[in-house]
Amino acid sequence: MVEWPAAPRAVHSRPVDPAPANREAWAALSLRALPSTALVALLRAFGGPEMILAATRAQLSAVVPDAIVARMTAPLATDALTRAHAWLAEPGHHLIAWDDADYPQALLELGHAPPALYYVGRRELLNRPALAIVGSRNATPQGVDNARNFAHALSDAGLTIVSGLALGIDAAAHEGALAGAGSTLAVVGTGLDRVYPARHRDLAHRIAERGGLVSEFPPGTPPREKNFPRRNRLISGLAQGVLVVEAALGSGSLITARCAGEQGRDVFAIPGSIHSPLSKGCHKLIREGAKLVETAQHVLEELGMAVHLGPDTGGPVPDSPLLAALGNDPTDIDALVARTGGTADAVAAELTELEIAGIVARLAGGQWQRRN
Amino acid sequence: MVEWPAAPRAVHSRPVDPAPANREAWAALSLRALPSTALVALLRAFGGPEMILAATRAQLSAVVPDAIVARMTAPLATDALTRAHAWLAEPGHHLIAWDDADYPQALLELGHAPPALYYVGRRELLNRPALAIVGSRNATPQGVDNARNFAHALSDAGLTIVSGLALGIDAAAHEGALAGAGSTLAVVGTGLDRVYPARHRDLAHRIAERGGLVSEFPPGTPPREKNFPRRNRLISGLAQGVLVVEAALGSGSLITARCAGEQGRDVFAIPGSIHSPLSKGCHKLIREGAKLVETAQHVLEELGMAVHLGPDTGGPVPDSPLLAALGNDPTDIDALVARTGGTADAVAAELTELEIAGIVARLAGGQWQRRN
């Protein structure tokens, strides 16, 4: 019999590829939405999800309070379980439960992890270093650009970018991550048989192919206002930190940031004009302790993932048109060619000289940045 | 004999209106630019500035090291002292020395205060609560507006706004302060017989009439690169905190902010776009611990001077066009009339109702702000 721990932490003792019976039992159990503590007590008492489902009311009552027994034995909408089983029978559709080696360790460590995640995509992404990027659905064009550029650079640095598939910042974060060398996870608040918002159907398909789509809600779950805060908690829980790009006061992104703080994750925020309502949420976070970031490099530094820039030679920095074109942000050679009018070869040669002189650094993904 | 303290702290034991002889002796002594410790030792040994000047080389050698004696007995450019005396003979021109009751207590507490300040203006301003507002000479139009608006609101709240009479942010800070109920101090890096930059002649005259002009450099001192960091240290020293409005990396405003930190003053910075070079200095300060501020109210809160907003009724906040027009910044009735199209009477009546309901607060200077 499996030895279930007191908390769901580190329960990876079952086979990686569970039998369909086990998977369907987890699906049935997850429909009951039990508190973690009750579920752990039941797993310890009965040994596994199938055995819990087979237990009598009297056997259950010996382990958990009456309210939990009532919740477990109440009639379920029959189509809920049927629909979950039908969805799981499709190729590429997964249910990843606590006892699955691919269940995200980052969630297990929180102690309030959903017992099972519905999943489509590359299973290995669930246990890679990840950063959440979230923000307003009504972002400014500059906010959308910032989200895409940060996500691209951080994806290039090897991070999986987690977001919520919403309009605005979320979509730009997913797109930027897919354009980079890394990947992306979309955590949604509906069943995975639905795409919300509908106009993100194409984006969701690309994420399913090259990244992953995650939901704790069974197939058939429509968009419900009350489910989105739970979704936000999962976004921050899957990541080492949360970057808020643009957010109004009182917006859902601030809930995600608060979850991140409670979960011990880093919170990063991009500042903006004091006259922009969409920067006020970010400024509030910074005033409360979030780290102000201007570049992807700032995020990587805080996460302890900064590219080593080599020893500083300390010499005078030459004043060249290329350095002026480089500015202070990570930039790729194409952009430098466009800005300086030089050839790609000439730009690359000068960059290499500047790198040897310790003035610029080569970042992951072919980007360059001036050293400060 | 005056009992000179170990440090210049609290030396206010001499008459308020010093004799001209005393004043001229301080002027002569200040031309020697002695370290504070040496000057205190000399004052203790000889009793006052006239007696120090009358001491023989042998008497001086018994008190201070040879290097100090050499500095005190080296020939002075004769016109330096003559020019200082001539300037001081003009009506309204002051020399305010350590033993003057009007010498700024805030500077004395630092332990590195200049022995005497050349001064034109309202002497009482030197010991009032003050906030420095500094920033780039090449500010953006929005930066200039922000400087003026913060200075105006903080002047209305009773603060004296200290700045450096430079182009850009400094000038806007002085102008905003003069437009408010409070006043302003301009700390300059030249002699007070010069106005630098020359185009601020009119501004300097208005400050001399309604505020104060301060310099530690004797009349005749031209603008010299090396004197400006010393001037910056005086700006932060005279204030309880320094607000940096816009600043490039490596700019003088960051030196003022660093001085402020070393002097135990609060540092505040206004954020902006991550793509604006003039916000990068502010963002650097915030990343290093400066407080991000979006409104004058934020500054007042940090200084412990926030207007008391009364008990929060906790009730639901009504959704009115006036509240939408008010936004989250301090706003005056004229602006609300312009934004809502209502009459001033109607706006004032509704504001009073909202104030009674605990939803908005009346600030000093006729401004209103929504309570958060």
Side-chain angles (χ1 to χ4, degrees):
Chain A
M1 185 189 285
V2 180
E3 188 61 39
W4 296 102
R9 179 191 293 264
V11 292
H12 294 162
S13 49
R14 305 263 299 194
V16 174
D17 200 4
N22 169 276
R23 201 175 60 175
E24 293 188 0
W26 275 116
L29 214 48
S30 79
L31 290 177
R32 302 295 182 175
L34 302 180
S36 291
T37 45
L39 188 52
V40 168
L42 291 165
L43 287 166
R44 290 181 141 191
F46 299 102
E50 306 94 319
M51 288 80 101
I52 295 173
L53 293 175
T56 65
R57 178 182 282 266
Q59 286 170 322
L60 294 173
S61 287
V63 179
V64 287
D66 287 348
I68 300 291
V69 177
R71 198 191 288 189
M72 296 187 65
T73 52
L76 271 185
T78 45
D79 67 335
L81 197 54
T82 314
R83 201 187 287 220
H85 289 176
W87 187 86
L88 284 169
E90 298 279 331
H93 289 187
H94 306 280
L95 189 79
I96 301 182
W98 278 358
D99 56 357
D100 193 310
D102 288 333
Y103 193 94
Q105 191 66 32
L107 290 183
L108 291 178
E109 286 166 359
L110 295 178
H112 297 287
L117 300 173
Y118 293 87
Y119 191 71
V120 178
R122 294 163 55 197
R123 296 169 62 105
E124 73 276 18
L125 292 178
L126 291 167
N127 280 293
R128 293 260 181 91
L131 181 87
I133 298 183
V134 299
S136 175
R137 287 188 295 274
N138 307 307
T140 67
Q142 183 64 64
V144 168
D145 279 357
N146 288 344
R148 192 186 297 113
N149 293 338
F150 272 75
H152 190 151
L154 293 166
S155 168
D156 278 344
L159 285 166
T160 298
I161 304 302
V162 185
S163 196
L165 201 67
L167 298 173
I169 298 298
D170 283 17
H174 291 304
E175 293 282 7
L178 289 173
S183 190
T184 192
L185 288 173
V187 184
V188 303
T190 65
L192 286 185
D193 54 344
R194 311 204 164 203
V195 174
Y196 177 80
R199 78 169 82 160
H200 283 168
R201 189 168 300 276
D202 169 65
L203 175 60
H205 278 285
R206 283 183 288 130
I207 294 173
E209 276 172 21
R210 299 182 41 211
L213 290 159
V214 189
S215 178
E216 63 178 300
F217 303 104
T221 308
R224 285 190 193 117
E225 198 64 43
K226 76 178 172 77
N227 286 345
F228 286 92
R230 278 178 68 187
R231 187 274 309 261
N232 292 348
R233 184 205 46 166
L234 214 56
I235 289 176
S236 55
L238 280 165
Q240 292 177 255
V242 172
L243 169 62
V244 182
V245 177
E246 276 190 333
L249 290 173
S251 63
S253 303
L254 300 197
I255 298 177
T256 309
R258 196 180 62 221
C259 292
E262 289 165 1
Q263 293 166 340
R265 308 317 197 211
D266 288 313
V267 181
F268 308 105
I270 296 179
S273 165
I274 59 173
H275 306 288
S276 167
L278 286 170
S279 290
K280 286 189 186 292
C282 291
H283 293 160
K284 180 169 190 285
L285 292 173
I286 294 166
R287 289 168 55 77
E288 292 170 356
K291 203 76 192 176
L292 181 156
V293 292
E294 293 180 294
T295 63
Q297 187 71 8
H298 283 160
V299 177
L300 295 173
E301 280 165 12
E302 294 293 329
L303 293 175
M305 294 176 62
V307 184
H308 180 60
L309 299 173
D312 190 342
T313 59
V317 174
D319 201 15
S320 85
L322 181 63
L323 279 176
L326 188 55
N328 289 287
D329 290 310
T331 309
D332 63 25
I333 287 191
D334 289 349
L336 293 173
V337 166
R339 290 178 195 167
T340 60
T343 66
D345 280 353
V347 167
E350 190 177 343
L351 283 170
T352 303
E353 278 177 35
L354 290 168
E355 186 185 21
I356 291 165
I359 294 158
V360 304
R362 188 194 302 258
L363 306 182
Q367 296 218 299
W368 293 81
Q369 187 165 19
R370 191 168 178 154
R371 298 181 49 177
N372 289 318
Chain B
M1 185 189 286
V2 180
E3 189 61 39
W4 296 102
R9 178 190 293 265
V11 292
H12 293 164
S13 49
R14 306 263 299 194
V16 173
D17 200 4
N22 170 276
R23 201 175 59 175
E24 293 188 2
W26 275 115
L29 213 47
S30 80
L31 290 177
R32 302 294 182 175
L34 302 179
S36 291
T37 46
L39 189 53
V40 167
L42 291 166
L43 288 165
R44 290 180 141 193
F46 299 102
E50 306 96 320
M51 288 80 100
I52 295 173
L53 294 174
T56 64
R57 180 182 282 264
Q59 287 171 323
L60 296 173
S61 287
V63 179
V64 287
D66 287 349
I68 300 290
V69 177
R71 199 191 288 188
M72 295 186 65
T73 52
L76 271 184
T78 44
D79 67 333
L81 197 54
T82 314
R83 202 187 287 219
H85 289 177
W87 186 86
L88 285 169
E90 298 279 329
H93 289 187
H94 306 279
L95 189 79
I96 302 181
W98 278 358
D99 57 357
D100 193 309
D102 287 334
Y103 192 95
Q105 191 66 31
L107 290 184
L108 291 178
E109 286 166 1
L110 295 177
H112 298 286
L117 300 172
Y118 293 86
Y119 190 71
V120 179
R122 294 164 54 197
R123 297 170 61 106
E124 73 275 18
L125 293 178
L126 291 167
N127 281 293
R128 294 262 181 89
L131 181 87
I133 298 183
V134 299
S136 176
R137 287 187 295 273
N138 308 305
T140 67
Q142 183 63 66
V144 168
D145 278 357
N146 288 345
R148 191 186 297 113
N149 293 338
F150 272 75
H152 189 149
L154 293 166
S155 168
D156 278 344
L159 285 166
T160 298
I161 304 302
V162 185
S163 196
L165 200 66
L167 297 174
I169 298 299
D170 282 17
H174 291 303
E175 293 283 7
L178 289 174
S183 190
T184 193
L185 288 174
V187 184
V188 303
T190 64
L192 286 185
D193 54 343
R194 311 202 163 205
V195 173
Y196 178 80
R199 80 169 81 159
H200 283 169
R201 189 168 300 275
D202 171 65
L203 175 60
H205 279 286
R206 284 183 287 131
I207 294 173
E209 275 172 23
R210 300 181 41 211
L213 290 160
V214 189
S215 179
E216 63 178 299
F217 304 104
T221 308
R224 285 189 193 118
E225 198 65 42
K226 74 177 174 75
N227 286 344
F228 286 92
R230 277 178 68 187
R231 187 274 309 261
N232 292 347
R233 185 206 46 167
L234 214 56
I235 289 176
S236 55
L238 280 165
Q240 293 177 257
V242 171
L243 169 63
V244 183
V245 177
E246 276 190 330
L249 290 174
S251 64
S253 303
L254 300 196
I255 297 176
T256 310
R258 197 179 61 221
C259 292
E262 289 165 1
Q263 293 166 341
R265 309 315 196 212
D266 288 313
V267 181
F268 307 105
I270 297 179
S273 165
I274 58 172
H275 305 288
S276 167
L278 286 169
S279 290
K280 287 189 186 292
C282 291
H283 293 160
K284 181 168 189 284
L285 292 173
I286 294 166
R287 289 168 55 77
E288 292 170 355
K291 203 75 191 178
L292 181 156
V293 292
E294 292 180 295
T295 63
Q297 186 71 9
H298 283 160
V299 176
L300 294 173
E301 281 166 12
E302 294 292 330
L303 293 175
M305 294 176 60
V307 183
H308 180 61
L309 298 173
D312 190 341
T313 60
V317 174
D319 201 16
S320 85
L322 182 63
L323 279 177
L326 188 54
N328 289 287
D329 290 311
T331 309
D332 63 24
I333 288 189
D334 289 349
L336 293 172
V337 166
R339 290 177 195 168
T340 61
T343 67
D345 280 353
V347 167
E350 190 176 345
L351 283 170
T352 303
E353 279 177 35
L354 291 167
E355 186 185 21
I356 292 165
I359 294 158
V360 303
R362 188 193 303 258
L363 307 182
Q367 297 218 300
W368 292 82
Q369 187 164 19
R370 191 167 178 156
R371 299 182 47 176
N372 289 319

